[in-house]
Amino acid sequence: MKIGFVMEPIPAKNLKKDSTLLLMFEAQNNGHDIYFIDSKNLFMKGSQPYCKYQKVEVSLNDTNFNVLSSSENTMNFFEVIMMRQDPPVDYSFIVNTMILEKAADSGVNVINNPSNLRNLNEKIFALNFPQFCPPTLITSDFEIFNNFLRENEHIVVKPLNSMGGDSIFQLKKDDEHLSEVYAKISKEGEVKFIAQKFLPEISIGDKRILIIGGRVLPLCLARIPPKGEFRGNLAAGGSGIVKQLSERDLLIANSVAEICIKRGLLFVGLDIIGDFLTEINVTSPTCAREIDKELDFSIGDLFMECISKRL
């Protein structure tokens, strides 16, 4: 089977923790041909989706891909394409999902479902499960935003389309930086953003829970903020501890898993702080490498099994 991975080139510093590399390695170990497709190299000729690609070999150490050959072809050259382009979900990302949707229409098994990558914002999607979410606001209006802050007294504010702890702020009631943060996050009132009640349980970790083919993994990675910081994201300097899921975690994750599998979302990462769901990551969920080390089965093998059932 030929499996293409749409992604950005992996920085050398991330090779030992990149989740896409794990999936590539396991696909290779299962006897499949694997291909790197730079997210910049998807294009259309008339009605046909094409891409440039490189056939590669990978390892899980600190070396990069071994490129075996380079070519271009229609996307139905592949049986499976994994869409692993990182946010921001900007115009380039959206156009790529449209091209991949054409590939899916021609019979390629594209994972995750490209139309739902486009339509399901990771932060707004979580609000489909209001019983599990903290008080949340999405707006670009200063007065509405300020009223929400006064009501909740301590909040976190972040963009709707980014990842990795980028541009996240915390504010307290009557914060002197309120106007400055609002201007930056909303681009002077032109762009909607998300605000949520601050959850003090962040001090013991922002839990990343993975769902593979509708199956909730029994372990999560609790990402703990460094001293003096409130962001647990590993990209923002957080440290990770693998933990068992609580009963509440399982309740939330199983509820989400049921919906995700119906929407063609086979690789999903939930963010849970304390007892609250804050995000459903569907674009390029991470933390698989850290969790995989502590499991008594392989995440990559489980994922390949899910793919095989769909072919």
Side-chain angles (χ1 to χ4, degrees):
M1 182 161 59
K2 295 185 284 291
I3 306 177
F5 292 82
V6 177
M7 55 194 288
E8 294 88 2
I10 305 172
K13 64 184 175 64
N14 290 336
L15 282 174
K16 290 188 176 181
K17 64 179 184 178
D18 188 85
S19 294
T20 308
L21 193 61
L22 174 65
L23 299 179
M24 297 176 83
F25 180 77
E26 292 295 348
Q28 175 182 276
N29 265 8
N30 277 268
H32 304 297
D33 294 330
I34 57 171
Y35 299 82
F36 165 70
I37 307 170
D38 192 305
S39 58
K40 298 183 184 69
N41 288 335
L42 278 60
F43 60 101
M44 299 281 294
K45 287 185 180 179
S47 63
Q48 293 298 313
Y50 276 75
C51 64
K52 291 182 178 181
Y53 56 82
Q54 295 175 321
K55 186 176 183 180
V56 296
E57 290 179 340
V58 300
S59 65
L60 294 182
N61 57 31
D62 58 358
T63 62
N64 213 329
F65 301 154
N66 179 24
V67 177
L68 304 178
S69 63
S70 300
S71 189
E72 74 174 57
N73 210 329
T74 60
M75 286 191 183
N76 58 16
F77 170 78
F78 302 98
E79 284 82 16
V80 176
I81 293 179
M82 280 289 303
M83 172 53 159
R84 294 283 299 175
Q85 181 179 349
D86 288 335
V89 180
D90 54 13
Y91 187 68
S92 173
F93 187 103
I94 289 169
V95 170
N96 277 349
T97 66
M98 293 175 178
I99 296 173
L100 288 168
E101 196 168 11
K102 286 289 188 182
D105 290 344
S106 72
V108 182
N109 191 7
V110 181
I111 303 168
N112 283 322
N113 178 290
S115 62
N116 279 324
L117 287 180
R118 182 172 66 251
N119 296 335
L120 297 175
N121 177 277
E122 299 186 324
K123 297 170 178 66
I124 297 176
F125 185 25
L127 300 180
N128 287 342
F129 305 89
Q131 69 275 32
F132 302 132
C133 294
T136 301
L137 175 73
I138 295 171
T139 189
S140 60
D141 184 281
F142 179 79
E143 183 180 359
I144 294 171
F145 171 54
N146 192 24
N147 288 341
F148 181 80
L149 173 56
R150 290 180 179 279
E151 179 183 343
N152 290 281
E153 298 188 344
H154 191 181
I155 65 173
V156 171
V157 184
K158 50 191 173 182
L160 285 168
N161 69 342
S162 65
M163 63 172 285
D166 183 48
S167 297
I168 298 180
F169 304 93
Q170 63 169 322
L171 291 168
K172 294 182 179 179
K173 186 177 178 181
D174 299 321
D175 195 302
E176 63 180 7
H177 301 294
L178 172 62
S179 296
E180 178 185 342
V181 169
Y182 167 76
K184 183 172 183 178
I185 202 76
S186 72
K187 300 190 184 304
E188 303 290 349
E190 295 298 317
V191 176
K192 289 182 173 62
F193 57 90
I194 185 168
Q196 291 183 320
K197 183 178 178 65
F198 179 81
L199 301 171
E201 295 88 347
I202 184 62
S203 64
I204 57 173
D206 179 356
K207 293 172 282 189
R208 168 58 55 85
I209 297 172
L210 295 179
I211 302 172
I212 311 292
R215 177 177 172 180
V216 178
L217 300 191
L219 302 178
C220 67
L221 187 72
R223 297 162 297 173
I224 301 170
K227 186 176 181 179
E229 178 61 80
F230 69 97
R231 297 173 300 166
N233 310 75
L234 301 184
S239 58
I241 299 176
V242 176
K243 293 183 176 181
Q244 290 281 343
L245 269 61
S246 69
E247 289 186 12
R248 172 74 173 183
D249 294 338
L250 284 168
L251 173 64
I252 295 172
N254 283 316
S255 299
V256 175
E258 184 179 350
I259 302 300
C260 286
I261 199 68
K262 291 177 181 177
R263 294 184 179 237
L265 303 172
L266 299 190
F267 195 107
V268 177
L270 309 187
D271 290 347
I272 294 179
I273 300 174
D275 287 336
F276 294 98
L277 174 68
T278 59
E279 293 187 24
I280 302 175
N281 296 273
V282 298
T283 50
S284 54
T286 59
C287 301
R289 296 282 288 276
E290 294 87 348
I291 295 171
D292 187 69
K293 292 176 183 177
E294 305 295 329
L295 291 168
D296 57 7
F297 60 89
S298 164
I299 289 176
D301 284 344
L302 175 61
F303 190 71
M304 292 310 304
E305 181 184 328
C306 293
I307 290 176
S308 299
K309 288 179 180 178
R310 294 173 62 88
L311 295 177

